[in-house]
Amino acid sequence: MENINLGFDSLAVHAGSIEDALGSAVSPIYQTSTFKFKNADHGARCFSGEEDGFIYTRIGNPTIGELEKAVAALEHGYGGIATGSGMAAVNTVYMAMLGSGKHMIGHHSLYGPSRSVIEGLYTKFGITSSFVDATRVENVINAIRPETSLIFLETPANPSIEITDIVAICEIARQHNIPVCVDNTFCSPYLQNPLDLGADIVIHSMTKFINGHADVVAGMIVTKTKAFYDKLRPVMVIMGCNMDPHQAWLTRRGLKTLGIRIDRAQESSIKVASFLENHPKVEWVKYPGLKSHPQFELAKTQMRGPGAMISFELKGGLESGKIMMNSVKMALLAVSLGGIETLIQHPASMTHSKLSKDAKKAAGITDGLVRLSVGIENVEDIIADLDQALACV
Ligand code: LCS
């Protein structure tokens, strides 16, 4: 169908949909690893690119293609490149944009593995990096070197909820001809479109809000131009970072309700954040919808809403965090985020417990930090659950 001029939710439902011979309302799953050629000449034309034909699912597949078209439409990009996980998307970007002798600048509080893979594995290939507090644009400017070939931001960042100024950093990057990639996982395209703000590449862990049902691990890259698409897609294919058709079909289904899920979770998050901010056992709350967030004004300029991720610090530190985790009844004590169920986790005793004090500090992890991903349950129940868990602390 013609998707020009449709609103976000209409695109989320219809963009990229496959019109099959039977008129299925829902696109079929092309659960196949390979595709028959009509004859040898047809195979040759598909391989040479003279004809648009599917060859092999690692290279392309109609079900995966539908999801790529839909997310690219919602991110206002040239094209989408689906990947087997969010980390496959991150690594496809790193592999394509970095190389021996190259340098990357990243925000200091990226999702842990997005930073640790650069500081660990990629040093083997002679790649260097500077992780800076990119909430201060001058830190990014000072880190630029002649060999800098990628700036990688995540905003809001996981789990610090720090917000970086996409427009300002992209402006600096343009002056130095450095591509910018933004991890848009926390907002999803419903709340923020980094390509419209000057970024060249957007990535998502679609495991989170885009799929939204905690039943798929998946990633996506969207590029602003054909040139970046042509640079990145072959890397995804040759590295085998592709997704599976069933994974794509489930994610496409989840995407259809992205807007209404975020509306609901966000409406509740505003109430939950205020409840926490007024609670005597809570030291501080980081939520872009609260005036107390240091980048409250910036958030309003680049995000269409504050989202459904909240971090807060318990006054009692590590012990209080553990007690609270053991006391929640409805919220799931689990990593991941962006699903329909409320998830809670305490990085200092869970995901980041093995890190040194310095490493925790660098990642913005304090002893009493709790991360909450607000789901779509009744807000009264979410607040009551947190209230009774805080009473145990
Ligand atoms: N980017 C962000 C911002 C993320 O939060 C995650 C995963 C990834 C990339 C990687 O995506 P994946 O490969 O898992 O699809 N974040 C997780 C978290 O906070 N807890 O568990 C996973």
Side-chain angles (χ1 to χ4, degrees):
M1 72 174 289
E2 187 54 71
N3 290 141
I4 308 290
N5 296 330
L6 292 183
F8 186 95
D9 294 308
S10 310
L11 279 177
V13 172
H14 296 292
S17 60
I18 296 168
E19 307 264 343
D20 81 336
L22 302 176
S24 308
V26 174
S27 302
I29 312 180
Y30 287 86
Q31 191 67 44
T32 182
S33 60
T34 196
F35 296 82
K36 277 192 295 185
F37 298 120
K38 289 175 201 141
N39 51 46
D41 282 349
H42 176 228
R45 284 198 304 280
C46 289
F47 267 105
S48 69
E50 283 165 67
E51 192 169 320
D52 282 342
F54 290 100
I55 300 169
Y56 185 59
T57 282
R58 178 160 51 73
I59 302 171
N61 171 291
T63 311
I64 300 169
E66 171 176 351
L67 180 64
E68 290 173 331
K69 283 186 202 133
V71 180
L74 296 173
E75 279 291 15
H76 310 155
Y78 168 79
I81 304 166
T83 55
S85 68
M87 282 314 295
V90 170
N91 280 298
T92 298
V93 172
Y94 289 170
M95 274 290 177
M97 306 307 294
L98 301 168
S100 177
K102 297 290 185 194
H103 171 251
M104 171 179 132
I105 301 173
H107 180 48
H108 63 171
S109 127
L110 295 182
Y111 169 61
S114 301
R115 175 171 176 168
S116 61
V117 74
I118 285 286
E119 292 181 317
L121 198 58
Y122 283 78
T123 55
K124 261 198 345 195
F125 308 114
I127 292 161
T128 56
S129 57
S130 305
F131 287 92
V132 301
D133 177 359
T135 62
R136 299 173 68 91
V137 180
E138 63 272 26
N139 292 341
V140 176
I141 298 174
N142 292 337
I144 292 174
R145 302 181 194 165
E147 65 272 24
T148 305
S149 62
L150 178 67
I151 296 177
F152 194 95
L153 306 175
E154 183 183 299
T155 179
N158 182 5
S160 65
I161 321 282
E162 285 175 349
I163 294 171
T164 43
D165 188 335
I166 301 175
V167 170
I169 293 175
C170 290
E171 185 55 43
I172 304 295
R174 198 169 308 113
Q175 288 164 18
H176 292 82
N177 213 10
I178 305 168
V180 177
C181 176
V182 177
D183 183 334
N184 201 25
T185 298
F186 268 36
C187 278
S188 90
Y190 187 58
L191 296 180
Q192 180 170 270
N193 290 119
L195 301 181
D196 291 346
L197 301 168
D200 303 289
I201 305 163
V202 169
I203 67 116
H204 285 281
S205 167
M206 299 198 296
T207 315
K208 317 297 190 252
F209 289 99
I210 289 184
N211 176 59
H213 291 74
D215 50 12
V216 166
V217 170
M220 181 68 77
I221 303 165
V222 180
T223 67
K224 191 170 176 89
T225 62
K226 181 176 184 309
F228 278 111
Y229 181 86
D230 290 345
K231 194 174 168 81
L232 290 161
R233 185 155 195 109
V235 177
M236 179 283 284
V237 171
I238 204 84
M239 300 278 294
C241 290
N242 62 289
M243 64 169 43
D244 172 84
H246 188 238
Q247 202 183 357
W249 188 87
L250 281 172
T251 309
R252 183 70 192 87
R253 183 173 70 167
L255 175 64
K256 293 182 184 190
T257 54
L258 176 63
I260 55 171
R261 282 187 283 107
I262 291 198
D263 278 346
R264 168 65 175 245
Q266 181 170 259
E267 195 185 314
S268 300
S269 298
I270 295 164
K271 293 179 184 154
V272 171
S274 306
F275 159 77
L276 290 169
E277 198 164 52
N278 290 310
H279 198 284
K281 291 186 180 163
V282 173
E283 184 78 41
W284 50 254
V285 179
K286 263 292 193 60
Y287 179 63
L290 291 176
K291 286 208 174 80
S292 56
H293 191 292
Q295 291 107 21
F296 175 73
E297 291 302 329
L298 171 63
K300 284 196 291 186
T301 67
Q302 63 187 27
M303 293 162 64
R304 288 184 284 275
M309 293 301 300
I310 303 172
S311 284
F312 59 96
E313 178 76 11
L314 288 170
K315 281 185 180 155
L318 196 66
E319 269 318 298
S320 296
K322 282 194 210 167
I323 297 169
M324 187 174 184
M325 294 309 106
N326 292 335
S327 307
V328 286
K329 291 192 173 135
M330 184 179 77
L332 305 186
L333 176 56
V335 296
S336 201
L337 56 104
I340 52 175
E341 52 287 280
T342 296
L343 303 181
I344 194 162
Q345 78 121 330
H346 177 226
S349 71
M350 296 169 59
T351 46
H352 295 66
S353 62
K354 295 278 180 288
L355 292 190
S356 68
K357 238 185 155 67
D358 284 350
K360 272 191 238 176
K361 196 169 169 232
I365 309 298
T366 43
D367 282 349
L369 184 77
V370 176
R371 191 189 71 181
L372 192 66
S373 170
V374 177
I376 64 164
E377 304 96 332
N378 294 91
V379 66
E380 301 77 22
D381 295 332
I382 299 171
I383 291 177
D385 190 25
L386 295 172
D387 200 25
Q388 66 79 26
L390 282 165
C392 302
V393 168

